[in-house]
């Protein structure tokens, strides 16, 4: 524990915070700005003070599971939530029974609870880079997501792993057993090339919780692996991949960024396996690559001894059936990482979100929506009329009557959504520094309408007036807009959606794993502070 396992250890941690150069966060600041509780700090202090989840939940009059999610980081608790100060008061009451407290003890404890670690700061930077990559990808033609594919001869000429198969007459001898990290590299190249050259569409199933050095330490092999995966997907083969949660959340976000161009090809189903679950059915370190019904690579080792492992290349049907059964068991115990759509598939998904039935399942849910452009559907009617009167000639999709009809239906759906107790935190830019700004026309169109900057204040005021009329909508200004055009929606405990829409291409990334939801929630906290 960061604070030690005793009240005295916690006192030392708080004293260190008092002596640090940075000023403490005041209780008034906590009320005015959004600070997110560090889940590990909350969990530590509850353990130190011997407060069970059900004790705190009973005191707050909430369900035990909510406290459990706060501690695990799958649900964030922030200082804008009235429960934050109730938690703080209860912790102070228990702390005073164990320690001699000082006048500033409550401020110290509050500051410590929301103190974020350096790793979490790196996480927010990683998410920013991931979003940046998402936008860059959306601006590239879909066929060029991997870069222009030159001829195979040109691409493989200088890569020894590829040239050995495609250029030399004496190709590497096929072996039933390979050895160590070098062996898994050789076996993987053979495995992928055989799948690519297959006359049938293949379904590859990939899992490894092995240290990733075998993949990245040899630059030639890493380039060969990437090229073959790209070629495999471009030829229509399907891949199911299970990522291991041995990786830290930071590594997972960074990995998500690097895999994004591959995911958006639409042929990969990514899952995450909790390591503790995996250990019940697997040895400590395992690699399992299967080309369903055709071939498989499998290797077992102890962590740190992967370079001495035997890597088996299997083609027998009985062995393949056993290995596939093991993979399927892992998949059953895994969580779907998310869904990745582009082009027509993304359009179809966006269209489904205009159907009232899509949101009917939500009751008392918290939605956090970040939009880098102003959305048309939350403008007051008189403001929309002004837009239609002066700017619809630039929009070719519908007549002004069509726009009004579609907008009315959209706003009726929104009103019904809010009437079911759902809450929206809407974060939008509150100023325009450029000569023009974008008005997001979704769900009416994928277009972004460019408007002169002098219109921005009246449109923002219109949205602010609309939000003020709603009892369960909070509008937050985005002081800085690091990405455009981008829509990011976080539904607490369910999913985060990253959406990019323009007439040329649409991209949707929907991530459902709890570790990512917590990271994105913290990132949004930073954007609106």
């Amino acid at each position: 524990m960061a604070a030690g396992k005793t009240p005295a250890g916690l006192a030392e941690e708080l004293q260190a915070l008092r002596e640090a150069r940075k000023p403490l966060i005041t209780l008034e600041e906590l009320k005015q700005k959004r600070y997110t509780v560090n889940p590990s700090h909350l969990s530590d202090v509850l353990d130190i003070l011997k407060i069970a989840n059900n004790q705190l939940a009973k005191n707050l009059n909430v369900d035990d599971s909510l406290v459990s999610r706060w501690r695990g980081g799958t649900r964030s608790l922030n200082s804008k939530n009235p429960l934050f100060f109730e938690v703080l008061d209860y912790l102070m009451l228990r702390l005073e029974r164990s320690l001699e407290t000082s006048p500033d003890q409550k401020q110290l404890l509050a500051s410590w609870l929301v103190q974020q670690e350096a790793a979490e700061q790196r996480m927010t930077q990683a998410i920013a880079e991931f979003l940046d990559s998402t936008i860059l990808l959306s601006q590239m033609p879909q066929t060029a997501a991997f870069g222009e594919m030159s001829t195979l001869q040109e691409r493989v000429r200088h890569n020894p792993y590829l040239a050995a198969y495609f250029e030399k007459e004496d190709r590497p001898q096929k072996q039933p057993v390979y050895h160590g990290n070098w062996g898994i590299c050789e076996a993987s190249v053979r495995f992928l090339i055989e799948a690519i050259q297959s006359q049938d569409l293949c379904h590859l199933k990939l899992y490894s919780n092995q240290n990733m050095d075998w993949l990245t330490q040899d630059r030639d092999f890493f380039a060969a692996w990437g090229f073959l995966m790209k070629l495999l997907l471009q030829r229509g083969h399907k891949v199911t991949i299970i990522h291991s949660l041995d990786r830290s959340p930071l590594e997972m976000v960074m990995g998500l960024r690097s895999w994004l161009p591959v995911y958006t090809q639409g042929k990969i189903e990514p899952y995450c396996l909790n390591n503790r679950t995996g250990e019940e059915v697997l040895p400590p370190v395992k690699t399992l690559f299967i080309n369903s019904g055709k071939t498989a690579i499998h290797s077992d080792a102890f962590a740190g001894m992967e370079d001495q492992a035997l890597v088996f290349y299997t083609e027998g049907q009985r062995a393949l059936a056993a290995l596939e059964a093991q993979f399927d068991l892992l998949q059953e115990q895994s969580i779907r990482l998310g869904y990745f759509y582009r082009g027509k598939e993304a359009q179809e998904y966006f269209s489904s979100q205009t159907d009232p039935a899509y949101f009917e399942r939500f009751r008392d849910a918290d939605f956090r929506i970040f939009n880098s452009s102003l959305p048309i559907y939350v403008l007051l009617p008189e403001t929309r009329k002004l837009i239609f009167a002066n700017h619809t000639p630039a929009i070719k999709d519908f007549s002004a009557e069509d726009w009004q009809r579609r907008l009315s239906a959209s706003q009726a759906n929104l009103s019904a959504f809010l009437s079911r107790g759902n809450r929206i935190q809407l974060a939008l830019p509150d100023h325009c520094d450029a000569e023009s700004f974008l008005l997001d026309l979704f769900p009416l169109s994928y277009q972004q309408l460019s408007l002169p900057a002098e219109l921005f204040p009246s449109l923002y005021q219109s949205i602010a007036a609309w939000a003020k009329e709603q009892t369960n909508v909070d509008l937050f200004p985005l002081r800085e807009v690091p990405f455009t055009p981008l829509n990011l929606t976080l539904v607490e405990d369910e999913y985060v959606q990253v959406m990019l829409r323009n007439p040329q291409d649409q991209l949707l990334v929907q991530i459902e794993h709890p570790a990512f939801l917590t990271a994105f929630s913290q990132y949004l906290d930073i954007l609106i502070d």
Side-chain angles (χ1 to χ4, degrees), residues 263-332:
Y263 286 156
T264 53
Q265 293 298 299
K267 299 295 182 181
I268 286 194
E269 296 178 350
Y271 291 82
C272 285
L273 175 69
N274 187 306
N275 185 47
R276 288 171 296 177
T277 302
E279 286 180 350
E280 295 170 7
V281 292
L282 290 177
V285 176
K286 187 176 189 74
T287 294
L288 181 58
F289 296 166
I290 301 170
N291 183 353
S292 185
K294 301 181 186 298
T295 57
I297 299 171
H298 59 103
S299 171
D300 299 304
F302 291 102
M305 299 179 64
E306 294 91 340
D307 61 339
Q308 301 177 34
L310 296 179
V311 182
F312 297 91
Y313 203 99
T314 301
E315 296 177 287
Q317 291 302 308
R318 183 176 178 182
L320 283 174
L323 292 171
E324 286 207 60
Q326 193 172 55
F327 185 95
D328 294 344
L329 177 60
L330 289 175
Q331 187 174 347
E332 289 175 7

Side-chain angles (χ1 to χ4, degrees), residues 106-348:
K106 188 173 184 179
Q107 183 184 359
L108 277 170
L109 180 60
S111 297
W112 180 76
L113 281 173
V114 300
Q115 186 182 52
Q116 302 300 323
E117 311 297 343
E120 289 158 336
Q121 295 170 2
R122 291 197 301 272
M123 172 70 85
T124 60
Q125 179 61 30
I127 289 178
E129 292 172 357
F130 163 73
L131 294 175
D132 196 20
S133 297
T134 306
I135 292 170
L136 179 62
L137 180 63
S138 74
Q139 294 168 349
M140 298 167 58
Q142 190 168 357
T143 56
F146 296 130
E148 290 298 326
M149 280 287 185
S150 55
T151 66
L152 193 58
Q153 292 285 356
E154 293 171 346
R155 195 64 184 259
V156 306
R157 183 174 300 150
H158 301 294
N159 189 300
Y161 289 93
L162 298 176
Y165 278 91
F166 290 109
E167 290 191 350
K168 292 182 179 180
E169 293 181 3
D170 53 336
R171 294 181 178 179
Q173 185 177 358
K174 295 182 178 179
Q175 304 175 48
V177 181
Y178 297 80
H179 298 272
N181 287 342
W182 176 87
I184 197 171
C185 292
E186 286 288 320
S188 297
V189 170
R190 172 186 168 190
F191 174 80
L192 292 175
I193 287 175
E194 289 182 357
I196 290 167
Q197 293 177 336
S198 173
Q199 298 300 311
D200 304 317
L201 286 180
C202 299
H203 181 186
L204 271 62
K205 302 179 178 182
L206 310 179
Y207 170 80
S208 179
N209 62 348
Q210 181 175 330
N211 185 291
M212 298 302 288
D213 285 351
W214 71 271
L215 180 62
T216 59
Q217 67 184 358
D218 185 332
R219 295 181 63 182
D220 286 331
F221 174 70
F222 189 58
W225 169 275
F227 172 72
L228 292 173
M229 285 295 294
K230 296 167 188 177
L231 192 58
L232 182 88
L233 293 167
Q234 285 192 335
R235 295 193 176 181
H237 301 291
K238 178 182 175 183
V239 177
T240 299
I241 183 168
I242 301 177
H243 298 285
S244 170
L245 281 187
D246 282 346
R247 327 275 183 229
S248 70
L250 177 62
E251 288 177 308
M252 291 175 65
V253 170
M254 294 171 68
L256 181 63
R257 179 192 178 198
S258 64
W259 277 84
L260 187 62
V262 180
Y263 286 156
T264 53
Q265 293 298 299
K267 299 295 182 181
I268 286 194
E269 296 178 350
Y271 291 82
C272 285
L273 175 69
N274 187 306
N275 185 47
R276 288 171 296 177
T277 302
E279 286 180 350
E280 295 170 7
V281 292
L282 290 177
V285 176
K286 187 176 189 74
T287 294
L288 181 58
F289 296 166
I290 301 170
N291 183 353
S292 185
K294 301 181 186 298
T295 57
I297 299 171
H298 59 103
S299 171
D300 299 304
F302 291 102
M305 299 179 64
E306 294 91 340
D307 61 339
Q308 301 177 34
L310 296 179
V311 182
F312 297 91
Y313 203 99
T314 301
E315 296 177 287
Q317 291 302 308
R318 183 176 178 182
L320 283 174
L323 292 171
E324 286 207 60
Q326 193 172 55
F327 185 95
D328 294 344
L329 177 60
L330 289 175
Q331 187 174 347
E332 289 175 7
Q333 297 173 349
S334 299
I335 301 172
R336 179 79 186 234
L337 173 61
Y339 298 85
F340 303 81
Y341 303 114
R342 191 166 185 190
K344 184 178 179 181
E345 287 185 340
Q347 286 187 17
E348 291 173 354

